[in-house]
């Protein structure tokens, strides 16, 4: 018997004022052009093989999935207007909206959905969404507007994978999705059509037949600039209307432009000094002690200029699964020393380094070369831990060697930022013990309770049950930390004040459909000195 689970039908939720902004002071008007400036080159615009960076923004604008995450990561309808799941969680049925058309005018049907989902499981196209489809045994077409998925085991996070943009079968069938020529002009169902793009520029126009109503803006252009100085200059002279995902340390420069509004959504990545769980880190008292020994408030002030939040766990603070009752470890060096002494560590030879059974409490931290935030963070951590008798050395590697060292577990500790967006099942691949050998648990972290909560969290569909399990998970990982939990950093987003109706979601998706420019505000303002002023500030 197929039944609808309650959490799947959630369609509206109140927004968080600190993370979500909406401007509706003036009457929306059709027309206008938006130019977005960014620093990361554009890759393939194809929802199956690409997902992140600038390409991710463009994919979101050009494609729709059957479902999508809202601002708190609840899954809500998109191309599917409703869905049902069987009592045992092994059958999922989705009902598509009728009359939805691709950018070329052809109607989307269940054939396109099955075609896309089958592609996600093709080994050579393995990407971000593949992980969600591993329990999917088969995808069946019930009728023109109904699709059914059969799972090998209950797996609630499968819904997050159904956010993948649906590709038109009549265009992509039999073609290599990684071939740039195949993706030269992407065709989706999204609010904007991609007219042309290269690694440095993309031009889009409004989809006037969009099933949720045409966007107000006529056109959107993405411009990629290799140098930050040039990007700021183009903003100052009126070429660029908005800058996305720039470093918070640039806020002082951007504050000089009074007609740009600033937004600071929390990035869905948490910074952690994660330990390789062997030798000195096996005792949880040591890991708890090191959390108390680091002044995270000072880190937030000096490294991020208070543009972020101290981390109390690994679940994104804006998520439905976030447990607000758990606070960060307070800075308490005395408690840290007490815990270390209880664990058998003391300075027996007077060299200011704690030791136990002839082994000193010292370790090496692996760091990626060129990451300013991580380098600055580690300097403060080093000072704090040195005060209580813990010695740290640093090894910096460029990206290739850094990744190799992680995957081969050749490190004592590593300062890293891990993704915390989307479904809280994201934690499974980092912290479940089954992922030590075949997954991304590079830290050899093992905890039976953590394993239980994470396993059950992906088997049950009811949102209240899942929330309870992830609350318990957060309590346990706080009591048995995998490393020193540090912070979540804000991302700086600036946009010209003439644009209205804007929304910035905590999961860092730009929703441009409702942006508009009032008819009387179509002219761009410029600074007195234009480019020269921008260059001077950027250099300083």
């Amino acid at each position: 018997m197929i039944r609808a689970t309650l959490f799947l039908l959630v369609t509206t939720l109140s927004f968080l004022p600190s993370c979500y902004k909406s401007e509706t002071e003036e009457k929306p008007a059709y027309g206008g052009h938006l130019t977005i400036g960014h620093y990361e080159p554009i890759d393939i615009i194809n929802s199956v093989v690409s997902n992140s960076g600038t390409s991710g923004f463009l994919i979101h604008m050009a494609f729709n999935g059957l479902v999508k995450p809202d601002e708190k990561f609840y899954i809500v309808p998109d191309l599917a207007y409703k869905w049902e799941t069987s009592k045992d969680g092994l059958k999922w049925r989705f009902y598509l909206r009728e009359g939805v058309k691709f950018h070329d005018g052809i109607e989307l049907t269940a054939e396109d959905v099955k075609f896309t989902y089958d592609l996600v499981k093709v080994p050579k196209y393995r990407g971000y969404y593949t992980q969600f489809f591993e329990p999917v045994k088969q995808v069946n077409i019930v009728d023109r507007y109904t699709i059914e998925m059969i799972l090998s085991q209950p797996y609630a996070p499968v819904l997050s994978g159904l956010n993948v943009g649906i590709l038109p079968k009549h265009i992509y069938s039999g073609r290599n999705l990684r071939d740039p020529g195949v993706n030269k002009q992407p065709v989706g169902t999204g609010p904007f059509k991609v007219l042309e793009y290269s690694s440095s520029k993309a031009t889009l126009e409004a989809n006037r037949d969009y099933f949720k109503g045409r966007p107000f803006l006529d056109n959107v252009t993405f411009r990629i600039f290799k140098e930050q100085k040039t990007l700021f200059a183009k903003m100052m002279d009126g070429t660029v209307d908005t800058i996305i995902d720039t470093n918070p340390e640039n806020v002082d420069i951007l504050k000089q432009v009074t007609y740009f509004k600033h937004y600071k959504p929390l990035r869905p990545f948490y910074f952690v000094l994660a330990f390789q769980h062997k030798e000195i880190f096996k005792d949880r008292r040591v890991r708890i002690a090191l959390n108390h020994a680091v002044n995270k408030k000072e880190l937030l002030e000096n490294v991020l200029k208070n543009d972020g939040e101290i981390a109390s766990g690994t679940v994104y603070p804006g998520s439905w699964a976030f447990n607000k009752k758990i606070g960060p470890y307070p800075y308490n060096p005395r408690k840290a020393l007490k815990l270390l002494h209880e664990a058998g560590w003391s300075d027996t030879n007077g060299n200011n380094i704690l030791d136990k059974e002839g082994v000193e409490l010292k370790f090496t931290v692996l760091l990626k070369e060129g990451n300013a935030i991580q380098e600055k963070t580690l300097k403060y951590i080093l000072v704090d831990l040195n005060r209580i008798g813990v010695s740290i050395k640093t090894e910096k590697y460029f990206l290739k060697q850094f990744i190799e060292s992680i995957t081969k577990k050749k490190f004592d500790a590593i300062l890293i930022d891990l993704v915390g967006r989307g479904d809280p099942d994201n934690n499974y691949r980092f912290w479940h013990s089954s992922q030590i050998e075949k997954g991304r648990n590079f830290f050899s972290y093992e905890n039976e309770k953590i394993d239980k909560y994470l396993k059950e969290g992906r088997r049950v569909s009811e949102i209240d049950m899942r929330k309870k399990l992830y609350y318990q998970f957060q309590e346990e990982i706080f009591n048995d930390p995998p490393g020193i939990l540090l912070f979540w950093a804000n991302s700086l987003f600036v946009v010209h004040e003439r644009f209205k109706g804007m929304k910035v979601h905590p999961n860092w998706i730009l929703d441009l459909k409702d942006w508009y420019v009032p008819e009387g505000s179509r002219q761009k303002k410029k600074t007195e000195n234009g480019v020269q002023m921008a260059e001077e500030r950027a250099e300083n």
Side-chain angles (χ1 to χ4, degrees):
M1 183 71 180
I2 294 179
R3 64 182 176 83
T5 52
L6 293 178
F7 85 99
L8 303 178
L9 302 179
V10 177
T11 56
T12 56
L13 290 160
S14 48
F15 297 116
L16 298 176
S18 62
C19 299
Y20 175 90
K21 303 291 183 182
S22 180
E23 307 287 349
T24 55
E25 297 92 343
E26 301 181 53
K27 185 178 180 180
Y30 291 105
H33 179 273
L34 173 72
T35 299
I36 300 173
H38 201 36
Y39 53 86
E40 183 176 304
I42 300 169
D43 196 3
I44 291 175
I45 301 178
N46 185 298
S47 56
V48 170
V49 299
S50 186
N51 172 61
S52 60
T54 310
S55 295
F57 295 134
L58 291 162
I59 288 168
H60 171 69
M61 295 165 67
F63 294 89
N64 294 94
L66 290 199
V67 303
K68 65 178 183 178
D70 69 1
E71 76 289 343
K72 292 191 74 173
F73 299 101
Y74 283 103
I75 300 299
V76 298
D78 203 6
L79 290 174
Y81 67 89
K82 71 172 183 177
W83 54 92
E84 303 164 342
T85 181
S86 60
K87 188 174 182 179
D88 60 9
L90 298 180
K91 290 185 179 180
W92 295 73
R93 182 168 288 187
F94 296 83
Y95 299 89
L96 309 181
R97 302 176 192 268
E98 298 183 22
V100 176
K101 294 182 179 180
F102 288 105
H103 295 153
D104 61 359
I106 304 298
E107 186 183 25
L108 175 143
T109 70
E111 288 276 357
D112 302 296
V113 178
K114 175 176 170 54
F115 170 73
T116 302
Y117 290 172
D118 287 345
L119 281 176
V120 173
K121 292 179 69 66
V122 173
K124 69 176 179 179
Y125 297 139
R126 185 173 182 86
Y128 171 75
Y129 290 103
T130 305
Q131 60 183 312
F132 300 105
F133 281 80
E134 288 177 355
V136 177
K137 289 172 59 178
Q138 61 189 73
V139 180
N140 301 321
I141 296 173
V142 179
D143 58 39
R144 185 175 176 83
Y145 302 109
T146 310
I147 199 89
E148 186 176 73
M149 297 174 60
I150 309 298
L151 276 59
S152 59
Q153 60 187 21
Y155 185 64
V158 70
L159 278 174
S160 294
L162 305 189
N163 183 40
V164 60
I166 302 301
L167 300 176
K169 180 180 178 180
H170 64 277
I171 290 180
Y172 293 93
S173 181
R175 309 182 74 183
N176 184 350
L177 299 190
R178 294 194 183 278
D179 182 352
V182 174
N183 301 292
K184 190 172 182 180
Q185 189 167 345
V187 176
T189 58
F192 290 91
K193 302 178 182 180
V194 180
L195 299 181
E196 59 180 354
Y197 75 96
S198 64
S199 61
S200 60
K201 185 177 180 180
T203 304
L204 300 86
E205 70 172 5
N207 177 7
R208 298 175 188 275
D209 297 319
Y210 188 49
F211 67 97
K212 294 182 181 179
R214 69 149 287 183
F216 291 109
L217 296 172
D218 284 339
N219 302 96
V220 176
T221 300
F222 271 75
R223 296 281 305 276
I224 308 302
F225 302 93
K226 293 182 179 180
E227 295 184 4
Q228 179 176 280
K229 180 175 70 173
T230 306
L231 176 57
F232 288 162
K234 293 299 181 182
M235 183 193 73
M236 301 288 191
D237 74 1
T239 301
V240 170
D241 300 310
T242 182
I243 298 178
I244 54 177
D245 200 19
T246 188
N247 197 310
E249 68 185 15
N250 299 322
V251 67
D252 291 336
I253 298 172
L254 298 175
K255 276 182 179 179
Q256 303 299 320
V257 191
T258 58
Y259 49 83
F260 271 82
K261 292 187 177 181
H262 298 199
Y263 301 89
K264 297 178 181 180
L266 202 65
R267 296 183 74 244
F269 296 85
Y270 59 94
F271 286 76
V272 57
L273 181 63
F275 304 132
Q276 184 62 235
H277 283 244
K278 57 185 181 180
E279 309 302 335
I280 61 176
F281 298 121
K282 282 187 176 181
D283 192 326
R284 73 167 63 190
R285 290 174 296 184
V286 173
R287 287 175 270 128
I288 292 174
L290 298 184
N291 270 278
H292 281 299
V294 174
N295 190 336
K296 297 165 189 178
K297 184 178 179 182
E298 186 178 68
L299 279 179
L300 199 66
E301 292 173 351
N302 294 317
V303 177
L304 298 183
K305 298 183 178 180
N306 286 320
D307 279 329
E309 293 183 18
I310 298 174
S312 59
T314 63
V315 174
Y316 184 70
S319 168
W320 57 265
F322 180 65
N323 190 341
K324 296 180 181 179
K325 294 182 179 180
I326 300 174
Y329 281 99
Y331 176 54
N332 192 333
R334 289 187 178 181
K335 185 171 184 178
L337 274 173
K338 183 174 182 295
L339 285 168
L340 290 172
H341 289 156
E342 290 176 1
W345 294 92
S346 60
D347 182 8
T348 61
N349 57 12
N351 68 347
N352 295 321
I353 299 177
L354 300 177
D355 58 84
K356 178 182 178 182
E357 299 175 355
V359 177
E360 291 186 327
L361 188 50
K362 60 183 180 180
F363 56 91
T364 301
V365 177
L366 190 64
L367 200 63
K368 184 167 64 177
E369 186 74 51
N371 190 308
I373 289 180
Q374 292 184 8
E375 289 182 6
K376 195 171 182 179
T377 297
L378 191 56
K379 288 180 180 179
Y380 283 95
I381 292 175
L382 190 151
V383 172
D384 285 342
L385 295 188
N386 192 47
R387 284 173 180 158
I388 63 166
V390 180
S391 177
I392 296 180
K393 290 184 179 180
T394 304
E395 286 185 0
K396 295 181 183 179
Y397 291 145
F398 287 106
L399 184 60
K400 184 179 179 180
Q401 191 176 2
F402 180 77
I403 293 174
E404 182 180 338
S405 297
I406 296 174
T407 54
K408 292 184 178 181
K409 300 181 175 65
K410 293 181 178 180
F411 62 89
D412 298 329
I414 183 169
L415 184 53
I416 193 170
D417 54 324
L418 298 176
V419 63
R421 67 167 175 252
D423 195 285
D425 180 67
N426 214 18
N427 285 279
Y428 189 94
R429 54 179 172 163
F430 295 121
W431 309 121
H432 195 280
S433 64
S434 67
Q435 302 302 297
I436 293 174
E437 297 300 327
K438 63 179 182 179
R440 296 189 177 183
N441 186 348
F442 308 119
F443 321 101
S444 304
Y445 180 80
E446 292 186 75
N447 180 305
E448 289 184 4
K449 289 184 179 180
I450 292 293
D451 284 353
K452 175 186 175 183
Y453 299 142
L454 290 178
K455 184 176 181 179
E456 287 300 311
R458 55 174 32 190
R459 292 179 60 86
V460 299
S461 297
E462 290 77 8
I463 196 67
D464 288 340
M465 283 295 297
R466 295 195 78 208
K467 185 178 290 188
K468 180 179 179 181
L469 287 165
Y470 287 113
Y471 274 26
Q472 291 173 316
F473 158 75
Q474 288 166 86
E475 290 170 2
E476 182 59 24
I477 207 165
F478 180 84
N479 292 326
D480 186 23
I484 303 177
L485 301 166
L486 299 172
F487 50 72
W488 305 77
N490 287 342
S491 179
L492 181 61
F493 174 91
V494 294
V495 60
H496 197 289
E497 65 182 3
R498 71 179 184 282
F499 289 93
K500 310 296 179 183
M502 68 164 295
K503 301 172 184 177
V504 179
H505 295 260
N507 57 2
W508 197 237
I509 291 177
L510 289 178
D511 189 351
L512 299 180
K513 175 187 171 294
D514 297 322
W515 286 35
Y516 67 92
V517 187
E519 292 183 2
S521 304
R522 299 282 165 86
Q523 295 298 316
K524 299 181 180 181
K525 296 179 180 179
K526 295 184 179 181
T527 61
E528 293 179 2
N529 298 321
V531 177
Q532 181 182 352
M533 182 184 294
E535 291 180 343
E536 289 176 355
R537 286 175 182 147
E539 288 173 351
N540 294 332

